[in-house]
Amino acid sequence: MRKKIVAGNWKMNLTFEEGQKLTTEIVNMYKDENIKDVTVVLNPPFVHLFSVKKLVGNTPNLFLGGQNCSDKASGAFTGETSATMLKSFGAEYVIIGHSERREYFKESNELLTAKVKQALENGLTPIFCCGEPLEIREAGTHEDYVKNQLTESLFGLSEEDFAKIVIAYEPIWAIGTGKTASSDQAQEMHKALRDHLASKYGQEAADNTSILYGGSCNPANAKDIFSKADVDGGLIGGASLKSRDFMDIINSF
Ligand code: 13P
C-alpha cells in the first residue's frame, strides 16, 4: 500500500515569527483533528528547520523536509546546504527538482540525479518533482516530456533505492497561477507516469510509489483531485502558508 502524503512547500516565505505561528497552529490543529493515515510534511526554508522541528517534536506522521539539497556531500560550496545537515536537523524528506529550481537555478536532470543520491545516502526521502511548461502541454508532448525527466534522473537507481522515492507531478502552468489541472488531467498524467515507472521497475514497485499532485491545489479542489485512483496526495505551495487551508487539504482524503 502506498502512502498518502500532503507536503507543504513554503518556498521563500515567512519570517521566524511567522513560521513559528504557522507551525504552532498546524501542530495544534493536527492533534485536535486526529489526522490518521496521512503523512504530512512541512518543508520550510532551511533557516526555519531547527525551530520548526522543535515545535513539531515527535507528533506522529508529521515530518520535516528541506526544499532542496546540495549535490555534494560537504566542503567549500558557499551558500549550499547538504543532505547530511538536513538529516541532522531532523528532516526526513527533501524536495528535489522543483520547477523553480530547474528554471531559475538551471538544475539539469543530471544534477538532480546527484542530489537524489545525496538524499538517499543520508536516509532522506526525495520528493522528486517533474512537470511540463505550458508550451509543451499545448504542443501535446507533455507525457513524453515528463517521462523523460523521470528516465534521465531516476532510472539509474537500484530497485532498492527507487522504492524510497516519492514523485510530485507539478505542471508548471498550474503553479501559483490559480489555474489547476483538472482532476482528469491529473489522473491521466499520474497513470501515465505510474505505467512508465512500471516499465522500468515492475508493476508492484510502481503501485507502491506515491505520486503527488502540485499546482494551485486548495481546499476547494483537493477532494476532487485526491479522489483519483493514481493521485496519492499533494505538494502544496500557497495554501500551505495558511494553517486552516492546509489542514482542510489534509482532511480532503
Ligand atoms: P502553488 O500551490 O502555490 O501553486 O505551488 C505549488 C508548488 O509549486 C508546490 O511545490
Side-chain angles (χ1 to χ4, degrees), residues 151-173:
T151 305
E152 290 199 359
S153 292
L154 301 180
F155 279 16
L157 293 176
S158 66
E159 288 181 14
E160 194 190 340
D161 278 344
F162 176 74
K164 298 170 187 155
I165 302 282
V166 170
I167 307 281
Y169 168 60
E170 299 203 304
I172 297 171
W173 45 272

Side-chain angles (χ1 to χ4, degrees), residues 9 11 95 98 100 170 174-177 214-217 235-239:
N9 176 8
K11 307 194 180 182
I95 297 170
H98 192 282
E100 288 149 17
E170 299 203 304
I175 296 178
T177 57
S216 298
C217 206
L235 181 53
I236 318 300

Side-chain angles (χ1 to χ4, degrees), residues 213-235:
Y213 169 80
S216 298
C217 206
N218 61 44
N221 60 30
K223 207 178 180 84
D224 181 28
I225 296 172
F226 292 179
S227 72
K228 295 294 176 182
D230 287 286
V231 178
D232 307 309
L235 181 53

Side-chain angles (χ1 to χ4, degrees), residues 114-200:
K115 293 192 175 204
V116 167
K117 282 193 180 143
Q118 280 301 319
L120 291 171
E121 277 172 18
N122 286 281
L124 295 171
T125 299
I127 300 176
F128 184 83
C129 299
C130 55
E132 79 285 359
L134 185 61
E135 60 272 22
I136 297 289
R137 170 64 65 164
E138 286 175 346
T141 52
H142 45 290
E143 260 188 45
D144 283 346
Y145 181 92
V146 179
K147 283 182 193 170
N148 185 55
Q149 289 179 321
L150 300 186
T151 305
E152 290 199 359
S153 292
L154 301 180
F155 279 16
L157 293 176
S158 66
E159 288 181 14
E160 194 190 340
D161 278 344
F162 176 74
K164 298 170 187 155
I165 302 282
V166 170
I167 307 281
Y169 168 60
E170 299 203 304
I172 297 171
W173 45 272
I175 296 178
T177 57
K179 193 171 151 190
T180 179
S182 70
S183 56
D184 287 339
Q185 282 175 320
Q187 168 58 23
E188 186 181 33
M189 190 57 128
H190 283 222
K191 171 80 170 65
L193 296 182
R194 198 178 303 286
D195 289 347
H196 186 55
L197 299 177
S199 73
K200 170 71 183 173

